[in-house]
Amino acid sequence: MLVYGDIERIARPADVLQGIEKAMLACRQAQPGRLRHELLVQTFIETGELVQGLADREFERHGADSISAVQDTGAELLLAQARAILGSWQEQFAGDLPLSTDVSALLRHLDHVGTLRMKRAEGYSFYAVYPESYLEAALRSHLPPDTVVIGIRSIGSSLAALVAAALGARPAFSLRPIGHPFHRQLKINPVLTKRIVARPDLTFAVVDEGPGLSGSSFASVAEWLEANGVNRSRIHFFPSHKGGPGAHADNAQRERWQARSKHVVQVEDLVINTGSNARNLKSWVGELVGSRIEDWRDISGGNWRALRYDNAQDWPPSHRQMEKLKFLATAVDHSWHVKFAGLSRNDAQKVRRGSLLHEAGFTPPVTGMCHGFLVEEWIDGRPIETAGMHKHEILARIGSYLAFRARHLPAPHGGASFETLCRMAATNVEEAAGVDAAERLAWIMQQKNHLVRHLHPVDTDNRLHRWEWLATDDGRLLKTDALDHNGAHDLIGCQPIAWDLAGACVEFDLSTSERDRLVEIVIADTDANLDEGILAVFEAAYLGFQIGLWSMASASEGSSERARIERTLSHYLRRLRLLVAL
């Protein structure tokens, strides 16, 4: 199934370096406190994405990882920033900022030439991988300062710098495993090999997020070290969670994983289940909202459904492993939804987006951000199924909402091309419904190829499911969780508003006349081209994506959740049969 994708951007290194230098200056000038620490972490993440991009560009040029002045400089820069984060964290955000290395000089020595393909670090953006977790894991490991630290690109470039800073080690190396996702391998220049394993009697720390579906990235580095004379007992893993490799690991991979020494501190133990007020999410939220938080409830992994539905039999499906961390924080007479939204500096845009949508009356009010967590008011309300609203009221509200996004919210980043959408939809449908259905779907999408190419993307919602809407006691219909799905860890991204319109047609099972009414509402306030053929194209793509997404979810969930997912899949497959029968 084709579901996941990376958010990439093409940037000029000179522009990125200038932004990093300005941000570091702002860090030096800021008053001690959590906000300064957050800015330092955000700048470190951006530096890591730049260093990763430069390293990958050199890998493409040489066909292997090799010794490089640019990579050495990048590793020194990341280590300097990681030491500053360590000092700020240990001092509980107080005191002077420890920046002992001339960061500006290091920035000037990085490669400023040409353009660069930069990837967003997934763990920092989607999976609550916190830099401070790796600091704490390294401090608690008690590994010696002469440990050789190796980061697995992409995110491992920066995570390894944190481990090196906490251990007092030299700048970390970074390596890029390549090949099949479940059977990664390394390609390393002999000169770099000699440099990394000059002393195989030392301790080696291998650092990355994960393990993922197979754990093959960690395994590729460990096996390479062993092949170059390092004893297995000297190899230590620094992952992002305590679980093992996923469903695509074989028995040998699982056994090797279990045999390794591992050091991990998860975010729950870092900023949630901790007694430190200065380094505690609950305390941060209390400061932000101006109230002492008296009750704190974890509503991640689909647990939020118990607050919205009286009967578990009515619960919508949840891909629990992929849900972001979220909590319900309650003061005396008020509650807030606290959801992980990403550590990137750019994620502050979500607050502005949320404010604009709330002012227009479409979403709950946003209060602010707390070191990666978005805080918005918790609205008591009912699922749309139990609200007793007429269909025409629902259509009017959805139409107004989509028209507002199309008119006022320009796309903050790119999205999948038409060709990518076609390939994704055909691949997923072929696996779920067979070759004939996939060929018919591909034919439908190609019919409007010439028109779709000229549509412009907007800041689409990308989640129009029925359970994402909430009916309030005063008769309003609010869109929940509306701020960041077009920046999720999937391949869709920002699309023309026709994507959301198709999503609404599918999720609310609209008839032809109901679809036409919804289109009329959107067209009345926009200049969007939304003829029937274009909507058919996007409905085909939307169905292909949802079928792929929930098929993967079904394979990873237990029996009770799988039953809900299968019911949802049946709905998508029924809509698919209607579409390809046209």
Side-chain angles (χ1 to χ4, degrees):
M1 294 291 183
L2 293 181
V3 172
Y4 298 109
D6 296 321
I7 293 181
E8 297 182 341
R9 70 183 191 276
I10 303 298
R12 296 177 63 248
D15 295 337
V16 179
L17 288 164
Q18 185 179 40
I20 292 172
E21 189 162 17
K22 288 182 179 179
M24 292 305 298
L25 178 61
C27 289
R28 290 191 183 96
Q29 295 175 342
Q31 292 295 316
R34 177 174 54 83
L35 295 180
R36 183 187 68 176
H37 183 84
E38 290 181 17
L39 178 58
L40 182 61
V41 168
Q42 292 163 356
T43 308
F44 171 77
I45 290 171
E46 188 171 2
T47 304
E49 292 175 349
L50 172 65
V51 170
Q52 164 262 314
L54 292 170
D56 282 349
R57 185 167 70 179
E58 291 195 337
F59 185 99
E60 292 175 2
R61 289 173 178 170
H62 304 300
D65 279 312
S66 56
I67 290 178
S68 158
V70 168
Q71 292 190 53
D72 287 348
T73 300
E76 290 182 26
L77 176 60
L78 286 171
L79 181 59
Q81 292 178 330
R83 286 170 176 162
I85 294 172
L86 174 64
S88 174
W89 181 252
Q90 290 183 313
E91 293 295 323
Q92 302 195 58
F93 316 138
D96 295 331
L97 197 63
L99 278 170
S100 57
T101 304
D102 189 346
V103 173
S104 296
L106 291 172
L107 287 167
R108 286 192 293 271
H109 280 87
L110 283 177
D111 189 351
H112 292 62
V113 178
T115 60
L116 189 68
R117 185 180 300 276
M118 294 174 58
K119 294 182 179 180
R120 179 182 294 186
E122 299 164 3
Y124 299 137
S125 297
F126 309 125
Y127 303 119
V129 174
Y130 271 71
E132 299 89 345
S133 293
Y134 284 76
L135 294 174
E136 288 291 343
L139 291 170
R140 299 176 194 185
S141 73
H142 302 295
L143 296 182
D146 61 1
T147 297
V148 179
V149 184
I150 301 171
I152 299 176
R153 292 199 303 275
S154 57
I155 194 174
S157 301
S158 53
L159 295 176
L162 297 155
V163 172
L167 297 180
R170 294 177 57 81
F173 298 97
S174 79
L175 301 175
R176 164 66 77 180
I178 59 173
H180 191 281
F182 306 148
H183 303 284
R184 297 291 195 193
Q185 295 180 329
L186 298 177
K187 293 190 69 175
I188 305 175
N189 182 287
V191 180
L192 179 58
T193 297
K194 185 177 180 180
R195 183 172 170 184
I196 295 175
V197 293
R199 289 190 55 189
D201 59 320
L202 295 177
T203 302
F204 290 77
V206 183
V207 188
D208 196 14
E209 64 177 323
L213 292 175
S214 68
S216 67
S217 292
F218 274 106
S220 67
V221 178
E223 290 165 6
W224 176 81
L225 287 171
E226 290 179 34
N228 282 276
V230 178
N231 188 282
R232 175 176 295 188
S233 64
R234 294 188 171 277
I235 302 173
H236 295 250
F237 287 167
F238 285 80
S240 61
H241 60 80
K242 296 178 181 178
H248 291 277
D250 57 33
N251 290 334
Q253 287 173 318
R254 295 183 191 282
E255 290 173 3
R256 285 195 295 268
W257 179 266
Q258 291 300 325
R260 307 287 183 190
S261 296
K262 295 174 285 291
H263 310 278
V264 57
V265 173
Q266 298 186 138
V267 65
E268 291 85 353
D269 298 321
L270 183 78
V271 297
I272 297 170
N273 303 323
T274 174
S276 169
N277 285 332
R279 302 189 310 201
N280 183 279
L281 178 60
K282 179 179 175 181
S283 297
W284 300 340
V285 173
E287 293 172 4
L288 179 67
V289 303
S291 298
R292 182 177 179 273
I293 302 301
E294 298 181 346
D295 186 62
W296 184 263
R297 180 172 178 177
D298 186 349
I299 57 173
S300 310
N303 292 332
W304 58 270
R305 295 173 294 184
L307 302 175
R308 298 296 192 199
Y309 295 83
D310 295 329
N311 193 326
Q313 293 180 346
D314 299 327
W315 286 4
S318 172
H319 191 352
R320 293 178 294 182
Q321 293 182 3
M322 299 304 296
E323 274 197 20
K324 291 183 178 180
L325 279 178
K326 52 178 73 78
F327 303 90
L328 181 65
T330 303
V332 177
D333 57 356
H334 214 85
S335 295
W336 293 267
H337 180 204
V338 182
K339 173 194 171 185
F340 181 74
L343 291 166
S344 167
R345 247 193 314 162
N346 293 333
D347 283 319
Q349 296 174 355
K350 297 174 186 177
V351 175
R352 295 191 291 272
R353 183 181 301 127
S355 297
L356 186 63
L357 287 169
H358 171 65
E359 289 172 5
F362 294 113
T363 62
V366 173
T367 307
M369 295 280 294
C370 290
H371 198 18
F373 281 85
L374 181 76
V375 181
E376 61 183 359
E377 288 191 26
W378 177 265
I379 303 296
D380 289 324
R382 293 163 292 161
I384 199 169
E385 294 90 339
T386 64
M389 298 182 70
H390 293 294
K391 196 69 166 284
H392 70 270
E393 295 178 275
I394 296 173
L395 292 180
R397 188 62 168 166
I398 294 175
S400 297
Y401 171 68
L402 296 184
F404 183 87
R405 292 194 80 113
R407 190 171 67 253
H408 295 292
L409 298 181
H413 51 76
S417 66
F418 177 72
E419 290 78 8
T420 299
L421 292 178
C422 288
R423 185 171 66 254
M424 173 273 297
T427 299
N428 294 350
V429 168
E430 179 176 344
E431 187 168 338
V435 174
D436 290 345
E439 290 179 347
R440 177 64 178 169
L441 193 80
W443 182 85
I444 290 171
M445 295 189 71
Q446 291 297 334
Q447 294 309 296
K448 290 289 182 175
N449 182 5
H450 62 292
L451 292 177
V452 171
R453 290 179 183 277
H454 299 294
L455 300 178
H456 65 276
V458 299
D459 189 347
T460 41
D461 181 294
N462 287 19
R463 295 292 189 276
L464 273 293
H465 304 83
R466 298 175 69 93
W467 58 83
E468 297 259 346
W469 296 85
L470 190 67
T472 63
D473 292 338
D474 58 2
R476 294 178 298 155
L477 186 62
L478 295 181
K479 180 64 177 65
T480 65
D481 207 6
L483 307 183
D484 59 1
H485 284 305
N486 63 39
H489 187 201
D490 60 44
L491 56 75
I492 302 303
C494 292
Q495 294 293 331
I497 198 61
W499 175 270
D500 278 347
L501 266 164
C505 291
V506 170
E507 299 301 340
F508 286 84
D509 205 14
L510 300 187
S511 65
T512 301
S513 61
E514 290 168 340
R515 179 203 63 195
D516 292 344
R517 175 57 186 147
L518 182 62
V519 169
E520 288 175 2
I521 296 170
V522 175
I523 288 178
D525 284 333
T526 69
D527 59 354
N529 181 5
L530 297 171
D531 71 26
E532 182 175 349
I534 288 177
L535 285 181
V537 167
F538 280 96
E539 181 167 337
Y542 184 87
L543 286 168
F545 175 72
Q546 294 295 334
I547 287 169
L549 176 69
W550 292 105
S551 294
M552 292 183 66
S554 179
S556 64
E557 294 288 353
S559 58
S560 61
E561 199 63 49
R562 191 180 300 121
R564 299 186 185 99
I565 293 171
E566 291 297 331
R567 287 195 295 271
T568 301
L569 267 173
S570 295
H571 167 68
Y572 294 133
L573 290 169
R574 181 180 62 81
R575 291 284 305 200
L576 173 68
R577 288 191 293 271
L578 291 173
L579 182 67
V580 299
L582 292 176

